[in-house]
Amino acid sequence: MTTDRIWSYAPVSGYAEGLLLTGFTVAASDGTIGHVDRQVDESGMRHLIVDTGGWLFGRSVLIPVGVVESIDPQTREIKVTCTEEEIKAAPRFRTDRETLDPDYLAGVGDYYLGLPPRETSAT
């Protein structure tokens, strides 16, 4: 996966331009991690801000859309290729200002690009 691909939806993900994902449940490969609080599509570095609720001490995480495996508008669920532990270990998201910081976003992109490749399930 190239750097620009980590910030773009995979063609097989089920994403349709203009689809609003706020409120969708986000599931890691080994469990539910939270719900989409915000989606950022404007910057060219598309990502989701996911509210983890009590799962990760109430913090939010920034997830590049390139790790989205599938989107089901019927069930309002997004599956990502990462595990819960990989998401916990990702660079910490603290403020919305970071969504505009190229250095922070580059670090997040590099982290997710460095994860081991996985087989994606056909959905």
Side-chain angles (χ1 to χ4, degrees), residues 103-114:
D103 291 333
Y104 172 76
L105 292 173
V108 170
D110 289 345
Y111 171 79
Y112 282 97
L113 283 169

Side-chain angles (χ1 to χ4, degrees), residues 22-44:
T22 303
F24 277 48
T25 299
V26 179
S29 60
D30 57 352
T32 300
I33 62 163
H35 69 275
V36 176
D37 187 39
R38 294 180 300 288
Q39 75 187 76
V40 177
D41 289 333
E42 307 84 46
S43 70

Side-chain angles (χ1 to χ4, degrees), residues 12 20-21 25 30 34 38 41-42 53-54 78 91 93 95 101 108 116:
V12 297
L20 299 177
L21 302 174
T25 299
D30 57 352
R38 294 180 300 288
D41 289 333
E42 307 84 46
I78 298 169
F93 174 75
T95 68
D101 179 349
V108 170

